[in-house]
Amino acid sequence: MCSTHVVSDLTELLDLLSRSRVYDLAQPWFTGMPHYPTHPPFLYSLTKKHGDLLADGGVSSAADSIALGTHVGTHIDALCHFSCDGKMHGGVEVSGIQDYGRGIDRLSVDTVTPILRRGVVLDVAGPLGVDSLPADFVITPKYLEAVCADRGIAIGAGDVVLLRTGWAKFWNDPGRYITGGRGSQPMGPGPELEGARWIGSKGVFAAGSDTVAFEKVPSAMAVHVHLLVENGIHIIEALNLEDLARDGVVEFVFVAAPLKIRGATGSPVRPVALVVGG
Amino acid sequence: MCSTHVVSDLTELLDLLSRSRVYDLAQPWFTGMPHYPTHPPFLYSLTKKHGDLLADGGVSSAADSIALGTHVGTHIDALCHFSCDGKMHGGVEVSGIQDYGRGIDRLSVDTVTPILRRGVVLDVAGPLGVDSLPADFVITPKYLEAVCADRGIAIGAGDVVLLRTGWAKFWNDPGRYITGGRGSQPMGPGPELEGARWIGSKGVFAAGSDTVAFEKVPSAMAVHVHLLVENGIHIIEALNLEDLARDGVVEFVFVAAPLKIRGATGSPVRPVALVVGG
Amino acid sequence: MCSTHVVSDLTELLDLLSRSRVYDLAQPWFTGMPHYPTHPPFLYSLTKKHGDLLADGGVSSAADSIALGTHVGTHIDALCHFSCDGKMHGGVEVSGIQDYGRGIDRLSVDTVTPILRRGVVLDVAGPLGVDSLPADFVITPKYLEAVCADRGIAIGAGDVVLLRTGWAKFWNDPGRYITGGRGSQPMGPGPELEGARWIGSKGVFAAGSDTVAFEKVPSAMAVHVHLLVENGIHIIEALNLEDLARDGVVEFVFVAAPLKIRGATGSPVRPVALVVGG
Amino acid sequence: MCSTHVVSDLTELLDLLSRSRVYDLAQPWFTGMPHYPTHPPFLYSLTKKHGDLLADGGVSSAADSIALGTHVGTHIDALCHFSCDGKMHGGVEVSGIQDYGRGIDRLSVDTVTPILRRGVVLDVAGPLGVDSLPADFVITPKYLEAVCADRGIAIGAGDVVLLRTGWAKFWNDPGRYITGGRGSQPMGPGPELEGARWIGSKGVFAAGSDTVAFEKVPSAMAVHVHLLVENGIHIIEALNLEDLARDGVVEFVFVAAPLKIRGATGSPVRPVALVVGG
């Protein structure tokens, strides 16, 4: 009977989940956290403290207010984040569909449905015997293929593929996280166009990394253009992939649900990786 | 072999998910959306439009900035949101652990791990033959028990239990959503202490509703105190439960991951309900 | 000759200003400062610190971001802040001219020209021999007339008239400033309708106080309606009048320039009082 | 008698002010207004509209919330905005006195007292017969001296000196205002180090312009370092100097009062120029 079948499937799903380890892939949000210089930082204040206002029976509540750029902290880029020659993914013209107060009318982050997909993480730093990749390291297809071969990873269409550089550990040292600790410009490891093409050729749903930008920085943003505009592949940045790497996880269910911010080019998100059994 | 087993479980989980319907339980965020008067509204602007700055090759990007109260839109209350006589859940004293700039040091929303639990929705409005409950409707245990009996629902310890009033449809009419459209004060249907005790007795992880407050409003906030402070049960508000009700869904896997905002009393969240098979 | 005359007048004005004492009538803005519960609190963060990014020659800069309600801290109310029966001052209908993202199209704070006017302060607390008025004190015409008679103050049309309650000193104790330190509701001294009528009858440009609301709180906001809607008199709140009171100043030039926030109902402002000679 | 003297001086000051023309030197704030890419944009929303909540007697109010970088719109730079080799003006070390949540402990904008000083505007564009200077125009001492000679302007110690480029008219065209309308980088006219030295040698209190940066852009920020760090001269940016130029005004009383934002590196401000008689 149908309803029995449903219950039994639900029970099975709950059982699988109960046997899963849940990896938290997000960084925390706090005043002073790293942010790319062109994106507004994270602001926070309590709006009231316990005891500011006391109701009958000694009841009190506290609440807070925040402000931030939509690309600050662990976040996803909507396809409307980039354009080339006035056109977004699928040839959608930006002209006439953008407004400061309303955002972008097409391909915005509120159109991204909740993500429940196969995920894989390619630990680029680990096999090289370093805690973290150098700030000027280019993640070329050679490195990506080596990791896949070594760990027996096959990337499938629709997957979410994450690259680990080891930079997540710099989260509490914003200068280091953004510039690598040297000089005045944002700088960090990542793929260039060649790596983006390799990823794009897999037909994945999204690509992510543990760096402030899924792209070797500084750059002309060719990776963002190739993935978002030319291939319709979402980008997820500022992930924390350290726990996955520590445990040698390569494959999981990736779960994330961007906030449906109408017209927005991105959204903060707290993704999780579900690893069943083991 | 272990790794084979892992892969096979992952395959099974992915297979179950691929056969699931995903219900989006969040409302959209946009300038002018409803918000309880004491919580800061949602603010939005593009920080730049496509074409404001053009890089080589015609590349351009757009980005945005937002500001909002942490209890604005679909959100979860951390246990530190309420206190009674200076104590939060578990007797944790608020004195000395709260600061406007740093938030609350204990029981804050960044300590809430990602939620993957059995969920049930109790459609209170449906059986009464109304689209939405009246603004002064008290959801008493009598109504909750009737729904459970009628639909064969058993609430289990650790579940997430959601109450549907039908008010989600007023989201685009903020005056109606907040006050019921009458007079100057926030007003809306929900449980009072008796209903909260009934829910609390089930030992659930979280209780939620499709209203701005999980509590008949106006009130002395006895429900919040009973759930958050006395029972350690989280509260989720401003959900959209219309799709679940339309399809007669009562049981599902509830998935939500609050943003880890350090010290915060709440977080916006986009929950989903997974309904397997059918 | 005209230009000589101009220079000489300018010299005279500069000379008068150089002989003036400048009283700062604003409170500071900082995270955790008092705010009326329905208005968003003040948020602050550096966007970058010195040294986060270092340019050639060791050059570095720091910058910041803020968020706040427009009625938070020392601020002025535009005439569009209140309405009665759907009409603002002068019978302007609110219907059709308000939008969450655009604000109010008429009587908004960006239409308030810079204020350079005669100011008088009526110290209500001083003559009563108290540092600050009790939280439930009603400032009736009797008290206002007594101060005027005692100090020889004549209020003129177009003046800015400020009432001192002594509450400015509670600025660093937000609970006290907002509620008087008792119970859960905003509470504080101020005029009721009778006092508002007395002020309104003088034909002043603006009325202000050193409290969070120019109105005895709690109230039905009759003072705001009488001044803003019925008489077109601006309101300035959360002033610091302690220095004026300490020095026994009663008359001065009041200078303030609201930020031209398009469509807004209010603006933060830092007013000064210029006292010449003495 | 002293008090008579005071009143008579006050009367004289009020009389002079009543005969003054008041020039508004600020640009309006609105969603979508220009902002330097590294500073957070201006955000706005009503928090409630008239009619959202109706009190007895048909009373209703509207209010708003804003967020912005402190260097967005017409604003003043505090001396703590820049440092060189870890030192701010006067050799104050930045180390240990800066914190994301608290700002900078020394030389911050809340230490700037209200400004009431002689002001002069040097119209650089006008004598060149252009509406606005080209985007790559360097304002050298030669141009400044020519304007002074031509208009008989002597800059005095403690003055506020403003440079007009004519760019204020681009305020409603943010792309043009920030980049000059060409390419992807901020660009605009202004002084380089040589011009800054000329201004610095005058011992002025503040220097301002009608551009997004008081500095030829792009640059290594030598002007900011020279004025703020080496000379303790404040900078005021994004002024509107068109009305002064139209009327041929060169000399005035400059009045501005930055918001006392504790620890901040800058503040929005609405300056006015008072021109007496004529």
Side-chain angles (χ1 to χ4, degrees), chain C residues 29-89:
Chain C
W29 281 262
F30 55 89
T31 303
M33 59 181 272
H35 65 108
Y36 202 82
T38 48
H39 293 297
F42 179 80
L43 272 63
Y44 172 87
S45 172
L46 285 175
T47 57
K48 65 173 170 170
K49 289 199 290 188
H50 292 283
D52 279 0
L53 302 176
L54 271 181
D56 289 345
V59 173
S60 188
S61 69
D64 354 50
S65 185
I66 60 174
L68 70 160
T70 58
H71 298 262
V72 170
T74 309
H75 71 279
I76 187 167
D77 293 351
L79 298 184
C80 72
H81 184 32
F82 267 75
S83 63
C84 196
D85 292 330
K87 291 189 176 64
M88 301 187 294
H89 179 61

Side-chain angles (χ1 to χ4, degrees), chain D residues 138-142 144 191-200 223:
Chain D
V138 180
I139 301 178
T140 61
K142 174 181 71 173
L144 300 174
E192 292 183 336
L193 182 55
E194 202 185 11
R197 284 186 174 141
W198 186 88
I199 289 166
V223 173

